[in-house]
Amino acid sequence: MLSFITGHFFTRDDSMKSGDGKSCRDREHDIRNHGIIGDTFSVALVTGRGTIDWCSFPRMDSPPVFASLLDSGKGGEFRLELAGASNFSQRYRSNTNVLRTSMKSAECSIYIDDFMPVEDVGGIPYSRHEIHRIIVCTSGEGEVEIVLQPGFNFGRAGCSIRSEKFGCVASGGREQMSLSAPVKLRVSGGKATGLIRVKKGEVIPVVLRWNEGKTQRAKMEYSGVMLKDTIAYWRKWAAKTKYDGLWKEQVKRSALVLKLLTYSPSGAICAAATTSLPESIGHDRNWDYRFSWIRDSTYALISFNALGHTEEEKKYFLWLLHLLRGNLSRPDMLRVMYTVEGDTVPRERTVGRLSGYRDSRPVREGNSATDQLQLDIYGSVVDAVYMTFRPPEKLPDMMWRIVDSIADYVVSNWKRKDMGIWEMRNGVDRHTHSALLSWVALSRTSEMAAWQGYRGREKRYARVAEEVRKTVLEGAYSSSLHSYSSSIGGGYLDASVLLMPLLGIVDARDPRFLSTLDAVRKHLLKSGFIYRYRGKDGLAGREGAFLICTFWFIAAMAKAGMAEEAKALFEHVLGHSNHLGLFSEEIDPASGEFLGNFPQAFSHMGLIDAARILSEELGAKKGEN
């Protein structure tokens, strides 16, 4: 039996529900202390005390208008909070991305429904670029403090606010927004404040509108219709989720997160909602993840496909055709990542004005990894096409041309050194994961060639795929590590090799893979979480455990015949989500603190796939008994 726990368990910090006002305020901007709302165009993060401390308009990769998550003094925020409240909790309205934050004081109880309106017109979501915050008083009387302090463009654009009859208008550079509020707001510099009197039974809307130069009276008739339409949109989408396995609610919440990170106009899927949330507190492992990585997006498509959401895949592939812009025979032109509109991601630059999350500098915008060679992206694209258009689906000719050109490119380039899945910044190598995905590209394309009746291509790609397979199985295994390693010809322990049986290059019960599982358990697992590697990456500080690697480990264990142990580990990990079932990129195994950008698409697609595989393996085991 594989024993997977080395060290102590820890319990989730439930201070959001404890009524401990001081501790809650001290931790208000902690990564795990957030919910997310959005409209498939842009997103916002809301703390457990009712503060929007991160929001980008009009797109997810636009400069933020609120960023107190990265600097509580200069970043900007939009806060609604019941005066004197000492008890706070959050939940989503069922099967939606409408977030309810409840607050209670000695004299009064309220909740706030936060959402970005989504209108479904013929199956297409439309955005009004608004945030609605509906205050409902459920008992007593009290005052709700309202604070609007925008930080346009990471706080660099400055901010001026003018008071108007129905609220205020804030401007910074070429950007502006209006706030419709039920009280006269006091304006001082770049900040507007006010107090909203509430009593039992009252329902009061507050509306923020992007790119509006004048205010309108906030009316519940309007906000109520928007709330009804938005709830209907999310529930209609969630109802299409086809999943009969275990942990249905967690899987559905993860699917809703992935949908929030999908930019509807193009189909691009962002890696995360934020930038510069550190992988190591106090160090510079801070990256901008608000872009669409080819790898991450195609993995998300496979998760969507497994849950019956096929429209997301087909729209993404149309976007992929757009990215290549007629150069279907030039897969070398495919970049590692793109903006959500399909433009080149700008190289990194530092936002010196902001101090960073818990003083973890620098705050970055842009991502220089866009220029790297990462050979695994080609296999990721082919795998997503293969999963989407397997018979009886018809493979469109344009998609066949893409995968055919990719396979042809891989035949000539699979032996090259690259930066790999982890985007190393200390040099290139022949990464095992890149070779593994080269095998995926060739073996899957060989099958698709058979579907199309191209016997010559089928044989050619199958022949080279077999050469790649032998190279991986023989060249990547390290006798000293007793494990498949990071590189062909020798390397260090790397959790990405856990994908080998999941992608089909080796059986999970193969002795060499079982010894790999054991090596990962001994050296990469701590307190129930997996670190991604044990090698030097050229960066200061030590990152946390990587959540998608932990889910890969769980799935591989299940495939290896250890489904019960994998189930216990999976439920252990689920117990360390935040209060809404959300995950960041990483977690500190010792403290349970969230690290890295939030919420992270990789983490949630890993959860979906691990739950699905575990359910299948547990069902099979039950059937055997």
Side-chain angles (χ1 to χ4, degrees), residues 445-447 449-450 454-463:
T445 305
S446 177
E447 282 194 53
Y454 298 123
R455 298 294 297 172
R457 288 181 173 88
E458 176 192 356
K459 292 179 180 179
R460 179 188 183 220
Y461 296 143
R463 183 175 64 252

Side-chain angles (χ1 to χ4, degrees), residues 522-538:
K522 289 178 180 176
H523 303 293
L524 295 184
L525 184 135
K526 181 178 179 181
S527 298
F529 296 95
I530 299 289
Y531 287 91
R532 55 180 172 170
Y533 48 70
R534 277 285 187 259
K536 295 181 179 179
D537 57 14

Side-chain angles (χ1 to χ4, degrees), residues 44-318:
L45 299 185
V46 187
T47 74
R49 292 183 72 102
T51 300
I52 294 178
D53 63 358
W54 178 265
C55 180
S56 296
F57 273 124
R59 305 180 339 200
M60 285 175 263
D61 58 3
S62 298
V65 294
F66 303 121
S68 55
L69 177 61
L70 298 177
D71 189 315
S72 59
K74 300 176 182 176
E77 66 177 22
F78 177 21
R79 176 158 52 92
L80 292 177
E81 184 175 347
L82 177 65
S86 59
N87 187 284
F88 302 83
S89 63
Q90 282 183 315
R91 66 176 179 87
Y92 282 106
R93 297 191 65 167
S94 63
N95 296 323
T96 76
N97 283 310
V98 175
L99 182 65
R100 176 167 292 182
T101 304
S102 299
M103 308 178 186
K104 183 182 292 186
S105 70
E107 298 82 21
C108 184
S109 296
I110 68 166
Y111 65 78
I112 301 169
D113 278 343
D114 285 321
F115 65 98
M116 291 184 178
V118 186
E119 293 178 275
D120 186 350
V121 182
I124 299 174
Y126 281 80
S127 170
R128 291 176 177 252
H129 300 303
E130 297 175 348
I131 298 175
H132 288 238
R133 315 195 70 183
I134 299 175
I135 304 167
V136 179
C137 184
T138 56
S139 68
E141 296 185 12
E143 292 181 327
V144 175
E145 182 183 15
I146 180 171
V147 176
L148 179 72
Q149 187 175 13
F152 294 104
N153 194 6
F154 292 97
R156 293 178 298 203
C159 178
S160 62
I161 302 181
R162 70 174 187 271
S163 179
E164 292 197 349
K165 181 179 181 181
F166 300 122
C168 66
V169 174
S171 303
R174 298 179 178 179
E175 301 173 332
Q176 60 183 355
M177 64 174 68
S178 71
L179 176 65
S180 296
V183 294
K184 182 71 173 178
L185 298 175
R186 298 181 298 277
V187 174
S188 177
K191 185 176 183 179
T193 61
L195 290 174
I196 304 171
R197 290 289 308 174
V198 296
K199 62 181 179 180
K200 183 179 179 179
E202 287 187 326
V203 180
I204 301 171
V206 177
V207 181
L208 184 74
R209 295 181 172 89
W210 173 252
N211 208 24
E212 282 283 345
K214 60 182 180 180
T215 59
Q216 306 173 35
R217 183 189 296 273
K219 295 181 179 180
M220 193 56 208
E221 292 88 345
Y222 173 64
S223 289
V225 170
M226 291 298 98
L227 177 60
K228 181 181 177 181
D229 288 349
T230 300
I231 288 174
Y233 171 80
W234 288 118
R235 287 182 175 166
K236 180 180 178 182
W237 187 87
K240 295 178 182 177
T241 303
K242 298 176 182 178
Y243 180 73
D244 294 323
L246 301 171
W247 309 288
K248 289 182 182 179
E249 291 305 311
Q250 293 92 333
V251 167
K252 190 170 288 187
R253 176 52 52 196
S254 289
L256 284 163
V257 170
L258 294 182
K259 183 61 175 176
L260 270 182
L261 294 175
T262 302
Y263 182 64
S264 284
S266 67
I269 303 170
C270 287
T274 57
T275 179
S276 303
L277 296 183
E279 298 168 5
S280 180
I281 301 296
H283 295 282
D284 63 352
R285 294 174 179 265
N286 314 323
W287 316 110
D288 193 346
Y289 277 9
R290 299 170 300 142
F291 306 112
S292 182
W293 270 252
I294 293 295
R295 174 197 311 107
D296 300 41
S297 296
T298 50
Y299 284 0
L301 294 181
I302 293 171
S303 296
F304 276 137
N305 178 276
L307 300 178
H309 292 289
T310 57
E311 290 303 315
E312 283 72 18
E313 292 178 295
K314 293 173 182 178
K315 187 165 188 177
Y316 181 85
F317 290 133
L318 288 175

Side-chain angles (χ1 to χ4, degrees), residues 268-472:
I269 303 170
C270 287
T274 57
T275 179
S276 303
L277 296 183
E279 298 168 5
S280 180
I281 301 296
H283 295 282
D284 63 352
R285 294 174 179 265
N286 314 323
W287 316 110
D288 193 346
Y289 277 9
R290 299 170 300 142
F291 306 112
S292 182
W293 270 252
I294 293 295
R295 174 197 311 107
D296 300 41
S297 296
T298 50
Y299 284 0
L301 294 181
I302 293 171
S303 296
F304 276 137
N305 178 276
L307 300 178
H309 292 289
T310 57
E311 290 303 315
E312 283 72 18
E313 292 178 295
K314 293 173 182 178
K315 187 165 188 177
Y316 181 85
F317 290 133
L318 288 175
W319 185 60
L320 186 64
L321 291 169
H322 167 70
L323 295 179
L324 290 170
R325 291 177 173 86
N327 293 294
L328 298 185
S329 61
R330 292 289 308 278
D332 58 300
M333 297 183 66
L334 198 63
R335 304 183 74 90
V336 170
M337 71 186 83
Y338 294 86
T339 70
V340 295
E341 293 282 5
D343 298 320
T344 300
V345 171
R347 292 188 176 184
E348 291 161 18
R349 57 177 179 172
T350 297
V351 182
R353 175 180 174 81
L354 302 185
S355 61
Y357 178 83
R358 289 180 54 185
D359 294 322
S360 297
R361 292 180 173 89
V363 171
R364 289 187 171 100
E365 58 177 333
N367 197 306
S368 294
T370 187
D371 295 325
Q372 290 184 354
L373 174 66
Q374 298 176 19
L375 291 170
D376 67 297
I377 66 172
Y378 300 106
S380 299
V381 171
V382 172
D383 201 30
V385 174
Y386 175 82
M387 297 298 292
T388 301
F389 295 103
R390 285 180 297 180
E393 287 282 348
K394 178 176 173 57
L395 179 63
D397 182 66
M398 297 292 277
M399 296 312 302
W400 163 249
R401 290 172 62 188
I402 287 180
V403 298
D404 185 37
S405 64
I406 284 176
D408 188 60
Y409 174 82
V410 171
V411 165
S412 302
N413 291 275
W414 71 271
K415 295 181 182 179
R416 292 176 65 184
K417 295 180 178 181
D418 71 344
M419 296 295 189
I421 183 175
W422 305 132
E423 302 182 340
M424 298 297 192
R425 301 203 174 193
N426 60 344
V428 295
D429 202 349
R430 285 195 66 191
H431 292 100
T432 299
H433 179 265
S434 297
L436 168 63
L437 269 294
S438 293
W439 173 81
V440 168
L442 294 166
S443 62
R444 306 287 199 263
T445 305
S446 177
E447 282 194 53
M448 285 185 276
W451 303 348
Q452 303 294 98
Y454 298 123
R455 298 294 297 172
R457 288 181 173 88
E458 176 192 356
K459 292 179 180 179
R460 179 188 183 220
Y461 296 143
R463 183 175 64 252
V464 182
E466 179 60 19
E467 181 185 353
V468 179
R469 188 186 73 85
K470 289 181 179 179
T471 298
V472 171

